[in-house]
Amino acid sequence: MKHELMKLPFEYDALEPHMSKETLTYHHDKHHQTYVNKLNELVIDSKFEDSDLEEIVKKADGGIFNNAAQVYNHDFFWNSITANETKMSSELEKKLIENFGSVDTFKTEFITKATTHFGAGWVWLVADANGALSIVTTVNAACPITTGLTPLLTCDVWEHAYYIDYRNVRPDYLTHWWTLINWDFVSANTAKI
Ligand code: FE2
């Protein structure tokens, strides 16, 4: 099957000033598109030729895994942000308090892990099989669905996510990114665990 580049769920200038049109043009149209193109090239004549994206991420390794996981991770990342005002559900708020002590503590822990993650990767709010929430970071293309975790929210901390707008200052990117979180998406994911 042919994998397609997901359309952004907002206009290219909708997230300004927090995330610029130029960043979105490079990040989505160049970086994300390249992962989609490479994945489509690599699956030809492989055992994953007819597999859907999640199955490839769970079962592949090497270049096929890296490109498939980067497609999955970026799809999840675009859905995790929005230009709209959103509010977390009471269920999500309750779970964050249960698991982290308070919503503020969750935010501090998430930002700290995102700031201190060395090199390229991703920061995730995930649920385990028992419904317990935690914050995990993954290196390069790695994706928590390969270890049985359910992603609820992700932040891309590859330099290509912020270098145009914030140069090397990842903490500034994270402060602005936080204001874009699509709590409706995170709440909907939480309702399914
Ligand atoms: Fe990215």
Side-chain angles (χ1 to χ4, degrees):
M1 65 182 275
K2 191 167 186 307
H3 300 276
E4 303 286 345
L5 176 65
M6 164 189 164
K7 191 178 175 309
L8 282 178
F10 34 73
E11 296 299 323
Y12 284 84
D13 59 359
L15 306 182
E16 290 186 346
H18 308 292
M19 197 178 284
S20 67
K21 182 177 179 179
E22 189 183 3
T23 286
L24 288 177
T25 305
Y26 275 89
H27 197 174
H28 176 266
D29 297 9
K30 310 279 187 203
H31 291 282
H32 192 173
Q33 178 75 68
T34 301
Y35 296 126
V36 174
N37 294 348
K38 287 251 190 257
L39 175 62
N40 282 323
E41 281 167 35
L42 290 170
V43 294
I44 294 170
D45 296 331
S46 80
K47 63 180 174 181
F48 297 108
E49 196 158 19
D50 298 317
S51 305
D52 67 25
L53 188 63
E54 256 192 68
E55 190 184 345
I56 300 174
V57 173
K58 285 178 178 167
K59 294 181 182 166
D61 56 18
I64 294 182
F65 168 79
N66 283 334
N67 285 283
Q70 281 296 78
V71 175
Y72 179 94
N73 296 348
H74 281 91
D75 288 355
F76 210 92
F77 176 66
W78 302 130
N79 284 321
S80 291
I81 52 180
T82 180
N84 301 329
E85 283 271 331
T86 60
K87 198 169 171 283
M88 68 175 68
S89 65
S90 52
E91 182 196 10
L92 172 58
E93 187 177 10
K94 190 166 155 265
K95 277 201 155 283
L96 291 174
I97 293 167
E98 267 171 28
N99 289 273
F100 299 96
S102 72
V103 175
D104 279 349
T105 310
F106 157 67
K107 178 181 175 180
T108 302
E109 194 178 315
F110 194 101
I111 299 271
T112 301
K113 286 194 170 170
T115 304
T116 55
H117 177 80
F118 185 76
W122 300 83
V123 187
W124 307 79
L125 173 65
V126 294
D128 70 12
N130 298 318
L133 306 193
S134 61
I135 300 162
V136 297
T137 62
T138 58
V139 175
N140 295 333
C143 177
I145 64 170
T146 61
T147 52
L149 296 168
T150 302
L152 307 176
L153 166 72
T154 196
C155 182
D156 186 344
V157 294
W158 284 59
E159 275 193 349
H160 66 224
Y162 58 90
Y163 206 82
I164 292 170
D165 294 335
Y166 302 101
R167 298 301 174 195
N168 58 323
V169 191
R170 191 188 287 177
D172 284 357
Y173 157 65
L174 294 168
T175 301
H176 285 266
W177 174 82
W178 192 269
T179 68
L180 300 172
I181 295 175
N182 185 345
W183 293 110
D184 291 344
F185 176 68
V186 188
S187 300
N189 292 331
T190 306
K192 289 184 231 155
I193 61 178

